[in-house]
Amino acid sequence: MKLISTRGQAPAASLSEALRNGAAPDGGLYMPDVLPSADFADVDPQAPLGEFAAQLLQPFFAGDALEAELPAICAEAFDFPVPLVTPHPGEPRLQALELFHGPTGAFKDFGARFLMGCFDRLGVDQPLTVLVATSGDTGGAVGCAAEGRSAVRAVILFPKGRVSPFQERQLTCWGDNVLAVEVDGDFDDCQRLVKSAFANAPLSAEHRLTSANSINFGRLLPQLAYSARAALQVRAATGETPGFVIPSGNLGQGFALLLARALGLPIGPIVLATNANRTLKDWHDSGRYEARASVATLANAMDVGNPSNFERLSQLGVQPGDVRVELVTDAEIERRIKADYEASGYVWCPHSATTVEAWCRLSEAERNERPWIAAATAHPYKFAEIVEPLIGREVAPTPALAAILDRPTRKIRIGADLNALAEALSEQEAAA
């Protein structure tokens, strides 16, 4: 397989090269030149996710330098449960795919651990620097997955005042090879700095930069895998093709689902739930894409005004009618968390609450027409200051999340300026 840039001005790359590069040299995002044709009839959805993912993703790795390593990479990365649960006994057609049982309590653990396993094998001779912008959860997952690896350094940019207190702790508590950088700006400023660094060829080469954001095609492959497994499990149990409702920020999960459907996997209607950042909603309603400045919301990991992966949607030929987009306000997030807890005892994080709110907006006929899978993307403890007042009790952390509370933290602060980022990269390389 070869991967090509969405902007068409960069050489085609192998999968390993695309993972190593992160973004294409012309500033575009990598996409397969041709979607792999594969028969998924023999893929067992009841197999452990690591085994399932290695089977499902093999066509993407065929002929690549990492092909023989794929089973080991998947086994290492996906060693935690990924259950499908029924959050409300009175709504059996809705299942929650709980993606928060990894070490940092968010779905970003899948992509971060998978990529770090790849980077460990690609950076043996020359360590790579993973440069990542985060709106909340990606940075913590990358820091955790990178910690202690000899072939990887990580530099994590996060927006000042735009992450929850626990998220900031998760961003800043890792070992010497992980540097947290607080940026005076919003997530889009952080993302712009990352793209500018990659576009600066001397800077990128000096620090051997790569990315663990969803701009890296390798971040999307685990999302493709767990979505496909859930869909195949539901179809095996019911004989029906499920619809999906997912929270959407930078559009990585949305693209992964659309890619899965394009590959012929049993993915039905796709509903993208956004917060008050309305770029996708406006595109869906008008057919015109117009980037906006991001606004702060309770679902902060979705605070994205210019989703990078929209370039991939365009390349895949996705039209507004191919998905449904629902905008959910902070007040609606709060009401949904409170109402569902009172009705069933199930606790959503603010991001996951957008999914079930979007599902509730479907007509009764649409809800009952097929099974639906809602992505529950983060553990509610990570947003305890929002969730606990709404449900009237404390949310207990998982053992992995509780362990973070006793770690020392470290961060530096910079303006949203490429020169300041270059200095931070040099300091981190000297220290690691």
Side-chain angles (χ1 to χ4, degrees):
M1 173 183 288
K2 290 295 183 182
L3 287 94
I4 57 174
S5 171
T6 51
R7 301 185 185 178
Q9 301 299 314
S14 69
L15 180 63
S16 286
E17 290 168 340
L19 299 185
R20 162 66 184 81
N21 292 344
D26 62 357
L29 306 183
Y30 283 113
M31 284 277 290
D33 57 349
V34 178
L35 294 184
S37 72
D39 182 2
F40 300 111
D42 294 332
V43 180
D44 179 11
Q46 303 309 324
L49 180 59
E51 181 181 327
F52 174 89
Q55 288 182 289
L56 185 84
L57 300 180
Q58 195 281 329
F60 290 92
F61 282 77
D64 189 77
L66 287 174
E67 181 178 14
E69 297 286 344
L70 179 61
I73 291 168
C74 291
E76 293 167 11
F78 311 136
D79 61 350
F80 48 87
V82 194
L84 273 167
V85 305
T86 303
H88 195 311
E91 300 286 1
R93 300 293 269 176
L94 179 67
Q95 290 186 278
L97 180 61
E98 291 187 342
L99 301 170
F100 50 72
H101 294 284
T104 69
F107 79 104
K108 305 296 178 68
D109 283 321
F110 293 91
R113 289 163 66 84
F114 181 81
L115 272 180
M116 295 306 153
C118 294
F119 293 156
D120 241 3
R121 291 156 173 87
L122 294 173
V124 172
D125 297 325
Q126 286 190 307
L128 304 176
T129 299
V130 180
L131 178 61
V132 61
T134 185
S135 53
D137 290 326
T138 293
V142 168
C144 178
E147 186 179 46
R149 295 183 187 263
S150 59
V152 175
R153 291 183 285 267
V155 176
I156 302 163
L157 309 186
F158 69 96
K160 184 178 186 299
R162 293 290 195 97
V163 299
S164 76
F166 186 82
Q167 283 177 319
E168 179 167 333
R169 173 164 285 278
Q170 260 191 329
L171 293 169
T172 58
C173 70
W174 308 110
D176 290 342
N177 68 321
V178 180
L179 176 65
V181 181
E182 186 179 55
V183 176
D184 281 325
D186 58 20
F187 170 74
D188 294 314
D189 291 319
C190 296
Q191 188 164 252
R192 189 161 45 249
L193 279 179
V194 169
K195 289 184 175 181
S196 296
F198 280 112
N200 186 314
L203 183 67
S204 183
E206 177 185 357
H207 298 289
R208 298 170 298 285
L209 295 183
T210 188
S211 173
N213 279 93
S214 60
I215 61 175
N216 192 315
F217 187 75
R219 252 285 302 276
L220 308 175
L221 294 175
Q223 295 172 306
L224 169 65
Y226 65 62
S227 299
R229 181 170 176 258
L232 288 166
Q233 286 178 337
V234 169
R235 192 178 69 170
T238 67
E240 300 173 281
T241 297
F244 276 78
V245 191
I246 60 168
S248 185
N250 212 23
L251 259 178
Q253 177 69 78
F255 173 78
L257 276 171
L258 288 159
L259 179 60
R261 193 163 69 182
L263 292 171
L265 288 154
I267 308 290
I270 297 170
V271 181
L272 305 177
T274 75
N275 58 20
N277 288 275
R278 57 179 308 116
T279 301
L280 288 181
K281 179 63 173 171
D282 289 346
W283 163 75
H284 179 265
D285 292 350
S286 71
R288 296 188 304 275
Y289 180 86
E290 183 178 353
R292 293 170 172 264
S294 64
V295 298
T297 75
L298 297 178
N300 62 1
M302 300 158 61
D303 291 350
V304 182
N306 186 16
S308 291
N309 283 290
F310 190 83
E311 285 193 42
R312 288 192 170 112
L313 262 64
S314 298
Q315 190 85 0
L316 198 61
V318 175
Q319 300 299 315
D322 296 331
V323 296
R324 176 167 171 168
V325 180
E326 292 291 338
L327 188 150
V328 181
T329 66
D330 278 359
E332 290 165 331
I333 289 171
E334 291 177 323
R335 285 199 296 269
R336 180 54 52 196
I337 292 171
K338 187 174 189 295
D340 280 21
Y341 177 73
E342 291 174 350
S344 68
Y346 196 84
V347 184
W348 302 103
C349 84
H351 311 79
S352 308
T354 67
T355 66
V356 71
E357 174 65 23
W359 180 79
C360 287
R361 294 181 188 177
L362 301 175
S363 68
E364 185 176 357
E366 288 173 313
R367 294 198 303 270
N368 292 325
E369 179 183 19
R370 65 180 67 247
W372 288 87
I373 297 171
T377 52
H379 194 282
Y381 178 78
K382 299 183 74 168
F383 305 92
E385 70 283 355
I386 297 170
V387 173
E388 289 178 351
L390 297 171
I391 66 173
R393 70 166 177 83
E394 291 185 353
V395 178
T398 65
L401 296 181
I404 289 171
L405 299 175
D406 295 327
R407 281 175 166 256
T409 61
R410 176 176 65 105
K411 68 179 180 180
I412 66 170
R413 183 174 172 183
I414 66 170
D417 176 78
L418 185 59
N419 289 329
L421 174 58
E423 290 181 12
L425 288 167
S426 296
E427 290 173 9
Q428 173 62 358
E429 185 158 337

